[in-house]
């Protein structure tokens, strides 16, 4: 069995991957991680070359990027020699959209000989499978979901729009750089109690091994605050983190939760 | 000369149209209007049929819709008989996007025999003409404007997106139902001091007689609060209200203002 390392960001995902099988947990300076493993490595983005060498010496062949990570701020004084040589490439990658940045990072990891594995390869049970999980899909929610899907499909070629909020056919918000929580806060402030839907789905061309949309209990709480009635994810296109909590919270908030084709 | 009525919403537009020539000012219950005319009619959306009759009795043949109007909340107890008969049609129209709603309203007005005239027919000087009005268009602002134009062009067929904010190639916000000011407030809160651009342009298929995008001094103040550097409108596709104030405020805020083809 290949030896695996989890390159961890925030949230519940790294811990749930560690529970599914032995792996080295790699944390990054400045990125808080909520997980514990028998073997941990503390790394810095400025010292990626040292990290690669260390992982190879441990016999790691498989990497999984998991959890929310911000765009790093590089401290030039902390650079190791190997990473300094990579800097022109890394700086160019940082100028790009999220997809472009991730593609550059993955290319780098693959060149080093690592295989990239997706969180849902390790925990297929996290992946939303088609069907209604909580509540009932009314005709109104269905209509709003169709509208949201059409808007996101139109935007996808522009590398924008992992989510949208629609109520009674009106587009209340489209997800942009600040992310889902910021969008839901906007809806709470500008269009409270609309009873609409939140749709989350991957953009076309998004690398689902490393950037699958995820929802968790916080998503449901924010939706409740925004006065929404339904959450639609794409079947096979979203991770549901802390599923028991998500389902319980959606049920008690009266929020319909379904994975559409 | 045809006798004209201004169906007025909020903002500076109705008053500037009244200054350009004689007209009856029609205000609607619940919609505050900042304008005065020698002849005024107070109307209600629930009593459109009565309004039509009154306008015809005054010899009005030309209508101009001007200023910001919210989607009306109908009070069924206030309906007159003629408008009650129109309700199925009006309710269906209210389920649609802004363009659909306006198309339905205009069809109704034209059926009544009125001609629809645009604010820029009355005041052509309000329309943005091609060129840089304030500041200089840097390569960075130009690049962000191209990105914003591509995103809005992709969205236009969906009847969404009269505006977007882009900084360093990243899409920070897309205008939705709550409008431009709400979008700029969102940017101020989530991505302050980005130095990016606000683009405002009509959607494809938007009826520019009744729904031309407009900017005013408040737009510039909100942009300054949001830390933006440039405002791009479409030449011939935006009204600039209180132009002197807009230009002075943009200049003092260091905001480039231009109308692109």
């Amino acid at each position: 069995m290949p030896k695996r390392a989890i390159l961890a960001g925030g949230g519940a995902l790294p811990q749930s991957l560690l529970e599914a099988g032995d792996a080295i947990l790699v944390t990054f300076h400045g990125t808080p991680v909520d997980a514990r493993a028998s073997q941990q490595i503390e790394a810095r983005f400025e010292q990626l070359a040292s990290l690669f060498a260390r992982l190879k010496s441990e016999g790691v062949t498989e990497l999984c990027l998991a959890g929310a990570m911000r765009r790093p701020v590089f401290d030039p004084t902390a650079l190791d020699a190997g990473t300094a040589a990579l800097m022109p490439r890394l700086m160019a990658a940082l100028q790009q959209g999220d997809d472009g940045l991730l593609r550059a990072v993955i290319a780098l990891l693959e060149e080093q000989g690592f295989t990239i594995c997706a969180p849902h390869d390790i925990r297929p049970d996290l992946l939303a499978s088609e069907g209604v999980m909580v509540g009932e899909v009314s005709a109104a929610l269905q209509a709003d979901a169709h509208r949201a899907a059409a808007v996101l499909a139109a935007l996808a070629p522009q590398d924008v729009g992992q989510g949208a909020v629609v109520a009674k056919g009106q587009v209340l918000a489209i997800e942009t750089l600040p992310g889902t929580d910021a969008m839901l806060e906007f809806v709470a402030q500008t269009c409270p109690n609309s009873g609409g839907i939140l749709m989350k789905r991957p953009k076309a061309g998004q690398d689902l091994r490393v950037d699958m949309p995820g929802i968790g209990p916080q998503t449901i709480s924010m939706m409740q605050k925004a006065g929404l009635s339904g959450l639609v994810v794409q079947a096979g296109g979203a991770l549901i983190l802390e599923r028991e909590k998500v389902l319980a919270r959606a049920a008690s908030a009266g929020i319909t939760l379904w994975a559409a084709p």
Side-chain angles (χ1 to χ4, degrees), chain A:
Chain A
M1 192 174 153
K3 194 158 175 188
R4 181 191 301 150
I6 311 283
L7 307 190
L13 185 56
Q15 185 61 46
S16 43
L17 298 181
L18 288 163
E19 284 160 12
D22 193 42
I24 296 175
L25 177 66
V26 178
T27 62
F28 289 92
H29 181 77
T31 302
V33 168
D34 188 22
R36 303 286 307 160
S38 53
Q39 196 181 351
Q40 298 195 194
I41 295 177
E42 274 216 53
R44 297 185 67 109
F45 292 113
E46 297 90 344
Q47 295 165 7
L48 286 177
S50 309
L51 174 63
F52 296 155
R54 171 80 189 276
L55 291 172
K56 285 174 197 171
S57 76
E58 296 282 351
V60 169
T61 57
E62 199 174 270
L63 300 182
C64 179
L65 282 66
M69 229 177 263
R70 284 161 184 258
R71 288 170 167 255
V73 178
F74 278 94
D75 172 4
T77 65
L79 279 171
D80 65 23
T83 310
L86 294 172
M87 277 311 283
R89 236 175 110 179
L90 291 171
M91 292 307 291
L94 281 168
Q95 306 302 314
Q96 300 184 46
D98 285 349
D99 288 0
L101 174 57
L102 276 167
R103 269 194 296 273
V105 168
I106 288 166
L108 187 65
L109 299 175
E110 289 181 330
E111 277 169 35
Q112 295 288 324
F114 297 109
T115 302
I116 305 299
C117 97
H120 50 279
D121 292 335
I122 303 173
R123 287 277 311 260
D125 58 310
L126 296 180
L127 206 56
S129 56
E130 194 175 335
V132 178
M133 288 165 268
V134 177
E136 285 187 17
V137 180
S138 66
L141 291 184
Q142 183 77 62
D144 285 342
H146 278 303
R147 176 95 169 101
V151 167
L152 295 181
L155 271 179
Q158 301 295 326
D159 188 5
V160 188
Q162 269 201 9
V165 175
V166 173
K168 299 185 186 71
Q170 307 296 318
V171 181
L172 305 188
I174 295 172
E175 186 170 331
T176 51
L177 191 76
T180 310
D181 286 0
M183 172 174 65
L184 291 173
E185 184 64 42
F186 173 78
V187 173
Q189 284 176 24
T190 58
C191 308
N193 304 314
S194 66
I197 59 112
L198 165 65
M199 174 171 281
K200 291 278 302 168
R201 49 195 321 160
K203 294 167 287 186
Q206 196 165 320
D207 191 327
L208 297 182
R209 293 175 302 170
V210 294
D211 192 25
M212 178 74 86
I215 63 158
Q218 165 78 358
T219 315
I220 306 294
S221 300
M222 295 286 301
M223 284 182 64
Q224 189 173 16
K225 186 178 165 200
L228 300 180
S229 301
L231 170 53
V232 198
V233 297
Q234 183 176 305
L239 299 177
I240 303 181
L241 305 174
E242 303 181 79
R243 181 181 290 252
E244 294 305 313
K245 264 197 213 172
V246 166
L247 269 52
R249 209 169 282 189
S252 81
I255 288 174
T256 294
L257 170 55
W258 83 103

